[in-house]
Amino acid sequence: MNYSNSHLTFDFLIIGSGAAGLLTALRLADHGQVGIVNKGDFNMSNTYQAQGGIAGVMDGEDSYDAHIQDTLKAGVGLCHEDVVREIVAQGGAFIQELKNLGTPFDTLVDTDTLHLTREGGHSARRIAHAKDATGRAIGETLLNHVLAHPNIHCLNKHMAIDVITSRRLGRHGGSNQCLGVYLLTPDNHIITVAATHTILATGGAGKVYHYTSNPHAATGDGIAMAWRAGCPVMNLEFIQFHPTCLFHPGGSTMLLSEALRGEGAILVDAQQRRFAFDYHESGELAPRDIVARAIDHEMKKQGKDCMFLDARPIGKATIQAHFPNIMQRLLDVGIDMINEPVPIVPASHYLCGGVKTDVAGRTTIDALYVIGESAATGLHGANRLASNSLLECLVMADYCAKAILASSHDCTRMALPEWDDSGLSPETERIQIKQNWDEIRLTMSNYVGIVRSDEWLRRARRRLRVIHDEIASYYWHYPISRDLIELRNLSIVADLIVRSAQQRQESRGLHYSKDHPKTLKHAGDTVLWPEQL
Ligand code: FAD
Ligand code: SIN
């Protein structure tokens, strides 16, 4: 790492320290200086929140073909089968590697054999887990190795603002190359970071919606950055709403893992009527889109704010053994899941679309890679199968590092300009940022939620355009701040989601339109291209 005059230089610059970013850092660390940037603390990622586990074929009764078929079925005809085969084939090996690195996966009593759980859409038990906090266990394991490596430099509380490309610097001959990133430091200075290879591993965009299982960091920054730099995005209309997030007026919408339903929890209304089998023969273990729509439908039909997850059929001993964190977090807000049903609502959970990439995260810009939840490889199609995303993060990290090490990319060494913040007015008030933020999330929840219509999408688009113009004038006239960067990114991603939804004239997987309820016989990916710089 070189540091001079607010300029840093790395061989490999990774934005994001979730599963995708951490494993990429480990894979590259013996080959050069790695910078890994994180806008919060290490635990501020979707990875750290993951509960259920990571999918992989580990049991003799199971088969790769079954996992492939389950993934394809959940994706409703839009999965890229070659990608599914490639990623699913590696599940067992990556789970084993994580175990070897020290991840404390649950095992069967007195054996080294993994305890595998089951989730919706899976035809077999194939989810390796560490109680009900698998993401934290994986994240902490990878982080321990990252912190121990002398070539990896962690920049916590540094926020990436935009990538620097050769086109943006006015070089129009040859291919467009990524040269680095502008970062906002914790004390609000903007520094220039040059890198031979830049990897965006910034996670999803759950914060686009009012109710979400995602932590605050999930504002779609990497997708917005890549889009502004000229990368196409794919399938952004497919937002996965997790069926069971806590409904609690005073609390956050914490997730109640699908593994609870895998172990026997059922969905009921306020009168304790079980309703999931009215919608699908697999009941509570139908694919997520179906279960989320069933809950949404019952809430609307009955005029209720929530439905309930009744975990009592699981039994006290199993709840205490497998779900201690969920149980405790519920007790903290006064709910005893061993003895009473838990109020739940569906909440935005996972972004199936993202920046269009291959499995190695390659984009249309040289030396810029996008991996993990920010990317769309074609694995998930129109709906993600539970616990396939941590697996995708790890496979992408591995492939990305291999692609970088095999590439002949020779970074054009050119002086990178400093961020120009001359001529800005001092900021007077911040209330507009909060108002715009709330307005985007309500607009998306009201008009671009589990059920959509042409008119609602048009309304959303109109409102987002007004907000977008307000943000643009604010962005270029006042000093940049973390909130403002996130708001700008959120508004771009929200608009891309709506535009993608408008392009899909059918209902498929996670995209359900009242005006186009049928699933077309033939359909492809929705790809949006930015105006070329
Ligand atoms: P993340 O883990 O989200 O990491 C993103 C990183 O980027 C963070 O460090 C963030 O701070 C950083 N960042 C973002 N923007 C910037 C910026 N501008 N500058 C600097 N840093 C930035 N999947 C499964 O497979 N199994 C599960 O059981 C499971 N459970 C889940 C439970 C919950 C509650 C949630 C929210 C998700 C769950 N998922 C699960 C999905 C899965 O956790 C995520 O898809 C996956 O962890 C994403 O990893 P990632 O590395 O791509 O991004
Ligand atoms: C869960 O534990 O229900 C989340 C699993 C996932 O999103 O893959």
Side-chain angles (χ1 to χ4, degrees):
M1 175 176 74
N2 290 322
Y3 186 90
S4 66
N5 296 335
S6 303
H7 278 63
L8 291 170
T9 304
F10 294 103
D11 299 302
F12 313 111
L13 175 63
I14 302 167
I15 311 297
S17 61
L22 289 171
L23 186 66
T24 312
L26 286 177
R27 291 288 200 259
L28 291 171
D30 290 340
H31 304 274
Q33 298 298 312
V34 181
I36 182 160
V37 179
N38 174 351
K39 70 179 172 178
D41 287 316
F42 286 113
N43 59 4
M44 268 261 291
S45 66
N46 281 3
T47 296
Y48 265 66
Q49 301 302 317
Q51 295 181 351
I54 173 165
V57 176
M58 303 288 287
D59 185 306
E61 306 270 288
D62 194 8
S63 71
Y64 286 115
D65 203 46
H67 190 179
I68 290 165
Q69 292 312 321
D70 292 344
T71 304
L72 294 174
K73 197 168 161 198
V76 206
L78 276 198
C79 297
H80 297 195
E81 191 169 337
D82 53 335
V83 172
V84 174
R85 289 187 178 278
E86 186 100 41
I87 292 179
V88 164
Q90 317 212 31
F94 273 98
I95 292 171
Q96 191 56 52
E97 179 180 349
L98 288 174
K99 193 161 174 266
N100 296 344
L101 286 172
T103 308
F105 287 120
D106 283 21
T107 52
L108 299 175
V109 182
D110 293 336
T111 72
D112 199 31
T113 309
L114 291 179
H115 175 270
L116 301 174
T117 189
R118 196 170 164 192
E119 290 178 328
H122 287 275
S123 58
R125 284 188 172 262
R126 65 168 74 97
I127 319 293
H129 65 105
K131 303 236 170 333
D132 54 354
T134 311
R136 194 172 71 212
I138 293 174
E140 282 174 355
T141 303
L142 293 173
L143 182 60
N144 285 339
H145 290 271
V146 159
L147 294 176
H149 202 295
N151 288 354
I152 305 181
H153 310 274
C154 299
L155 296 165
N156 278 6
K157 297 194 171 70
H158 284 66
M159 181 168 194
I161 305 170
D162 257 321
V163 295
I164 306 168
T165 61
S166 52
R167 286 282 146 78
R168 280 197 167 140
L169 299 186
R171 290 202 160 193
H172 289 281
S175 64
N176 192 11
Q177 288 181 38
C178 183
L179 305 167
V181 162
Y182 289 115
L183 289 186
L184 185 71
T185 65
D187 56 358
N188 277 342
H189 286 103
I190 297 173
I191 58 172
T192 310
V193 186
T196 313
H197 298 272
T198 302
I199 300 114
L200 301 179
T202 51
K207 281 280 164 183
V208 164
Y209 288 90
H210 184 63
Y211 288 124
T212 178
S213 67
N214 291 190
H216 187 85
T219 49
D221 297 358
I223 297 167
M225 280 191 269
W227 171 261
R228 287 194 293 267
C231 298
V233 292
M234 184 170 103
N235 290 347
L236 281 177
E237 67 274 35
F238 297 117
I239 307 290
Q240 186 170 74
F241 287 81
H242 196 290
T244 55
C245 290
L246 174 67
F247 174 73
H248 190 263
S252 66
T253 29
M254 73 170 262
L255 185 79
L256 298 166
S257 175
E258 193 152 314
L260 285 161
R261 279 175 281 131
E263 296 299 324
I266 59 171
L267 291 166
V268 295
D269 64 14
Q271 280 70 47
Q272 313 266 333
R273 188 183 72 84
R274 190 175 182 182
F275 58 83
F277 282 93
D278 299 351
Y279 295 85
H280 194 277
E281 62 197 13
S282 301
E284 282 84 1
L285 289 179
R288 270 186 199 168
D289 55 328
I290 293 166
V291 181
R293 262 200 308 280
I295 297 170
D296 186 63
H297 189 254
E298 287 294 327
M299 282 166 54
K300 286 182 176 140
K301 190 174 80 180
Q302 302 187 31
K304 300 287 186 198
D305 289 334
C306 66
M307 289 286 124
F308 295 84
L309 183 70
D310 190 349
R312 289 175 296 183
I314 300 177
K316 184 174 172 179
T318 307
I319 290 179
Q320 285 174 334
H322 289 308
F323 304 105
N325 297 291
I326 295 176
M327 185 183 76
Q328 188 54 52
R329 284 178 68 185
L330 287 175
L331 283 174
D332 291 345
V333 292
I335 299 172
D336 173 10
M337 69 187 283
I338 291 175
N339 291 308
E340 60 184 318
V342 184
I344 49 99
V345 283
S348 87
H349 178 63
Y350 184 81
L351 192 58
C352 289
V355 179
K356 183 172 160 43
T357 69
D358 64 5
V359 181
R362 291 186 190 88
T363 67
T364 49
I365 298 177
D366 273 2
L368 178 68
Y369 297 78
V370 179
I371 59 172
E373 191 169 337
S374 302
T377 59
L379 172 67
H380 309 302
N383 187 13
R384 176 184 66 109
L385 188 66
S387 290
N388 266 356
S389 43
L390 285 171
L391 174 60
E392 184 185 41
C393 286
L394 301 178
V395 176
M396 286 195 87
D398 182 60
Y399 277 40
C400 178
K402 284 182 180 138
I404 286 174
L405 295 176
S407 87
S408 53
H409 172 73
D410 188 17
C411 181
T412 312
R413 295 276 168 209
M414 57 193 290
L416 301 184
E418 289 192 15
W419 182 266
D420 180 8
D421 56 2
S422 53
L424 299 181
S425 318
E427 194 179 34
T428 48
E429 52 183 32
R430 306 180 62 77
I431 187 68
Q432 192 181 344
I433 295 180
K434 182 177 177 331
Q435 281 168 350
N436 283 155
W437 186 290
D438 292 345
E439 223 176 307
I440 292 172
R441 297 179 70 194
L442 278 176
T443 300
M444 293 301 285
S445 301
N446 289 339
Y447 301 126
V448 201
I450 292 176
V451 176
R452 298 155 182 186
S453 78
D454 288 349
E455 177 51 27
W456 290 349
L457 293 178
R458 274 195 295 273
R459 264 189 228 175
R461 191 91 202 275
R462 279 199 300 271
R463 281 168 168 69
L464 289 172
R465 215 171 280 145
V466 173
I467 298 170
H468 182 268
D469 290 348
E470 283 177 13
I471 295 169
S473 74
Y474 209 73
Y475 191 83
W476 297 115
H477 291 102
Y478 296 98
I480 212 160
S481 67
R482 184 189 158 123
D483 287 353
L484 185 53
I485 296 167
E486 289 184 335
L487 174 66
R488 181 175 179 236
N489 292 334
L490 210 63
S491 90
I492 289 174
V493 175
D495 183 58
L496 293 173
I497 292 170
V498 178
R499 284 166 59 187
S500 304
Q502 285 181 315
Q503 290 214 357
R504 189 162 290 284
Q505 300 284 300
E506 59 160 352
S507 291
R508 181 182 297 270
L510 299 164
H511 174 75
Y512 183 82
S513 165
K514 291 200 290 190
D515 296 317
H516 311 282
K518 292 215 170 79
T519 303
L520 298 178
K521 211 161 175 200
H522 301 289
D525 295 318
T526 307
V527 180
L528 303 181
W529 287 85
E531 280 172 30
Q532 289 306 307
L533 296 170

